[in-house]
Amino acid sequence: MANIKFMIRDMDAENEQTIYVSSRFGRNDKLMYATTLKVAPLFWDEKNSV
């Protein structure tokens, strides 16, 4: 089963960070794409990925 997660790389940064989409297919297959969207880490909920 595939898992999809939205994430930003640096939660401690002061400037806006790019939102990434991470997908896992099985144990060893992983894809990660950068979106064109950016968000300030202050407004990012790491637990809920929003």
Side-chain angles (χ1 to χ4, degrees):
M1 179 174 205
N3 293 328
I4 298 174
K5 182 177 180 182
F6 295 94
M7 56 193 283
I8 60 174
R9 288 192 175 183
D10 189 7
M11 287 296 295
D12 297 326
E14 293 182 14
N15 55 349
E16 291 183 339
Q17 298 293 306
T18 303
I19 299 174
Y20 291 88
V21 178
S22 175
S23 304
R24 287 192 176 266
F25 303 95
R27 292 182 181 217
N28 299 325
D29 299 325
K30 180 180 178 182
L31 300 173
M32 183 179 279
Y33 294 104
T35 66
T36 58
L37 303 173
K38 291 189 175 191
V39 66
L42 174 67
F43 301 114
W44 185 257
D45 183 4
E46 190 172 15
K47 182 179 177 186
N48 294 322
S49 299
V50 293

